[in-house]
Amino acid sequence: MEQISALIASLSESETLAMSQRSNELKAKGVDVINLSLGEPDFFTPKHIKDAAKKAIDDNFSFYTPVPGYLSLREAICKKLQRENNLEYKPNQIICSNGAKQAVCNSLLAVVEAGSEVIIPAPCWVSYIEIVKLTRGIPVVIRTTIEQDFKITPQQLEEAITDKTRAIILCSPSNPTGSIYSKEELEGLAKVLEKHPNIVIISDEIYEHINYIGRHQSIAQFPYLQNRTVIVNGVSKAYAMTGWRLGWMAAPLWIVKAASKLQGQYTSCCSSIAQKAAEAAYTGDNSCVENMRKVFERRRDLIVEWASQVKGFKINKPQGAFYLFPECSYYLGTAYNGRKIETSTDLAMYLLEEGHVACVGGDAFNSPHNIRFSYATSDENIIEAMKRVKVALDKLK
């Protein structure tokens, strides 16, 4: 008898991965598809990091590590936090996980009870709401608009808090919008959270180094919040190491202990070789990070220029990450060849099948009037993709 649990049945499939799979299926049939759906750098992992991994293999780093990760890696992360963020953490406040996604999951499972509320500003990454469902918590979505640059205000936050609120998830720089909270904007939110000492702040900072406006700002910088803030980060985006699956959290000791207990039961440690590679990333030459950031910034400017020429798109200029998130409601309710566009997901499928450009509808990010393009690809692909999008959209009436 095939019967999955009600909990798993309630979860949605990851639309970003699903769209990439559909794109690959068309490519396998010989269709020339430009994939702007996946959120990963198109660069190769820097050589000095790969060399460290090869050396780790030769040096027989092939055994289980401590659940939180090698001490040397956790020390390197603490030095990174002090050097780049002016934040003080001890190695026992760090736990390394199988990607930043597991760090988010660990932190929520460690603090959220069934029926607890978790505030999630939207647009939001596809997995936040589904992970909250896994905890049997209740997602409380705060909607934002392109006019407010997709950032919540202190008033919106205050209005969303109830006596059941247990956590809030912040993502800056943001997936899917590329928006970044300034220090002043974070302080406004921090002053609200200061009044509610039972709320844990989960700060997803995985796109920290892909920033076009200056120094990264973390909400953990406010001393009155650091003792209940979980910083989630990793090497996937900044060092082009998505497949290495190495993320981490920096958090109060009581949360790290709970997360370590949890991780020890369901995955144990993350890859020993990936850990040595990440250690090289944090202790070695970081010029590769800045070089990739500059390329992403140029591509940001390029896709904004071309997407601004698409009739009906409302564009804001992303401040970080590598996504463009235009407002596309102009096309909802239109049709071509009997095919009607009712939702942003419909529009994304239309662009894939008619324009041969893979992107992701905003429905997946709790923002039904938008669509996400990843510009983690070549200049040539960006220009050609935007040309195809314009031609396909011009057919809709």
Side-chain angles (χ1 to χ4, degrees), residues 33 37-38 51 59 72 99 127-128 139 156 165 184 200-201 204 219 223 257-259 261 326 340 342 348 353:
V33 175
S37 66
L38 267 185
D51 287 343
D59 291 347
S72 56
S127 292
Y128 291 151
Q156 284 181 299
T165 305
E184 292 71 26
V200 173
I201 302 98
D204 186 346
I219 199 165
K257 285 182 176 179
K261 180 196 295 186
K340 194 164 185 182
E342 300 281 8
E353 294 170 4

Side-chain angles (χ1 to χ4, degrees), residues 14-24 26-27 32-39 126 175-176 303 307 310 313 322-326 328 331-332 339 341 343-365 369-377 381-382 385-386 388-390 392-393 396:
S14 172
E15 193 57 38
T16 52
L17 298 179
M19 184 58 79
S20 183
Q21 181 179 334
R22 294 182 193 114
S23 169
N24 290 334
L26 281 181
K27 283 184 178 180
D32 176 24
V33 175
I34 299 176
N35 191 346
L36 304 186
S37 66
L38 267 185
V126 295
N175 176 6
I303 197 169
V310 177
F313 272 4
F322 38 69
Y323 307 108
L324 185 69
F325 202 60
C328 60
Y331 293 100
L332 303 185
R339 177 176 189 163
I341 308 300
T343 67
S344 62
T345 301
D346 292 342
L347 186 61
M349 286 303 301
Y350 170 79
L351 289 175
L352 175 62
E353 294 170 4
E354 184 67 28
H356 301 158
V357 175
C359 54
V360 186
D363 300 304
F365 306 102
H369 296 144
N370 295 78
I371 198 162
R372 193 191 79 172
F373 298 103
S374 167
Y375 52 89
T377 188
N381 277 347
I382 290 169
M386 289 300 103
R388 293 183 185 185
V389 166
K390 187 176 186 302
L393 293 179
L396 292 170

